[in-house]
Amino acid sequence: EPEVTQTPSHQVTQMGQEVILRCVPISNHLYFYWYRQILGQKVEFLVSFYNNEISEKSEIFDDQFSVERPDGSNFTLKIRSTKLEDSAMYFCASSRDSSSYNSPLHFGNGTRLTVT
Amino acid sequence: AQTVTQSQPEMSVQEAETVTLSCTYDTSESDYYLFWYKQPPSRQMILVIRQEAYKQQNATENRFSVNFQKAAKSFSLKISDSQLGDAAMYFCAYRSERGGTASKLTFGTGTRLQVTL
């Protein structure tokens, strides 16, 4: 069964540095998402992306965050200047349709970001 | 805005027994979808079961079933014949039925399920 893949599985960075988290969605999916889960807390929506533009973003997704689909397969999340509170598990997800019963979100295994 | 509430931070069940995890939600929409996701220690998010709001019949997937009460805005998950591999964090999630743009999932805070021998 096709999977969403995320790299790296764990990223350690120093405060103030830029990081790029990478995701390869399922190939025939058109809708892409990033979620964040701070340790011990619930999974929070960051951003959704369709047709090469952001569909919706949460208040967490401020100017230090950006997303991009640089080619036909990758979907990236960039954090420009990391803060300690950005330490979290970041999940990429994709779906075939915008919102339908037969098109649930498929999640990757996540990238654990540690900011020191 | 939609909210999802899981009032049980932790639950425990004996192997082979049945357990029910609670979820309530708040929305003004009439068409939407509800999901239960499982997150084992590996942290992967695995879809367990899903329900369309306009379907009265409760969804079932093998040992997993839901009790969907639309009027009460309640969506509980029942796990029958619990197995050690069911031990995980379980998240209830809501998704709006909205075409054209990517529709996000709104998650509850999760219930940690322990399965004992």
Side-chain angles (χ1 to χ4, degrees):
Chain A
E1 187 177 324
E3 291 183 342
V4 176
T5 56
Q6 290 185 243
T7 55
S9 57
H10 191 189
Q11 172 95 43
V12 181
T13 189
Q14 285 192 327
M15 195 167 54
Q17 295 296 304
E18 175 183 286
V19 294
I20 297 176
L21 310 183
R22 302 181 192 280
C23 169
V24 179
I26 294 173
S27 62
N28 65 345
H29 284 189
L30 300 176
Y31 297 84
F32 314 114
Y33 312 82
W34 283 101
Y35 286 80
R36 178 180 85 173
Q37 185 183 30
I38 295 171
L39 186 64
Q41 298 186 23
K42 70 176 178 180
V43 180
E44 301 173 291
F45 169 76
L46 289 178
V47 66
S48 58
F49 191 85
Y50 167 70
N51 199 26
N52 280 323
E53 58 183 32
I54 290 173
S55 297
E56 185 178 0
K57 59 184 181 179
S58 72
E59 55 197 29
I60 303 169
F61 194 88
D62 60 23
D63 290 345
Q64 70 160 339
F65 291 92
S66 62
V67 290
E68 193 178 32
R69 189 154 162 81
D71 53 43
S73 59
N74 289 285
F75 178 53
T76 61
L77 174 69
K78 182 193 291 185
I79 310 174
R80 258 180 278 281
S81 177
T82 50
K83 305 179 193 129
L84 293 176
E85 54 265 37
D86 293 329
S87 295
M89 187 73 124
Y90 287 82
F91 290 102
C92 174
S94 69
S95 64
R96 191 183 64 234
D97 300 322
S98 59
S99 177
S100 76
Y101 179 78
N102 292 318
S103 182
L105 269 66
H106 293 258
F107 285 84
N109 286 348
T111 293
R112 183 184 301 278
L113 176 65
T114 303
V115 182
T116 60
Chain B
Q2 295 82 25
T3 58
V4 178
T5 302
Q6 293 178 251
S7 58
Q8 305 154 317
E10 288 192 14
M11 292 284 284
S12 183
V13 63
Q14 279 194 321
E15 200 178 15
E17 297 296 308
T18 296
V19 65
T20 299
L21 308 184
S22 302
C23 173
T24 58
Y25 57 94
D26 189 27
T27 184
S28 58
E29 299 175 331
S30 57
D31 293 324
Y32 49 87
Y33 305 99
L34 296 164
F35 304 84
W36 280 97
Y37 280 85
K38 169 185 176 181
Q39 187 181 45
S42 65
R43 303 297 296 273
Q44 187 182 5
M45 296 289 286
I46 302 166
L47 177 64
V48 174
I49 197 166
R50 47 189 156 158
Q51 174 83 38
E52 295 168 280
Y54 62 84
K55 281 193 176 174
Q56 290 189 342
Q57 186 174 7
N58 289 323
T60 61
E61 286 285 342
N62 301 315
R63 297 183 296 107
F64 298 88
S65 61
V66 298
N67 184 5
F68 172 50
Q69 302 287 329
K70 190 172 184 179
K73 294 180 183 170
S74 170
F75 182 61
S76 60
L77 174 69
K78 185 169 85 171
I79 307 174
S80 305
D81 186 26
S82 298
Q83 300 174 1
L84 293 177
D86 295 333
M89 192 73 141
Y90 286 80
F91 290 98
C92 179
Y94 172 103
R95 191 181 190 196
S96 177
E97 199 286 322
R98 186 177 62 190
T101 59
S103 186
K104 68 182 183 189
L105 281 171
T106 300
F107 287 89
T109 49
T111 296
R112 183 171 303 283
L113 178 66
Q114 289 185 318
V115 181
T116 58
L117 293 170

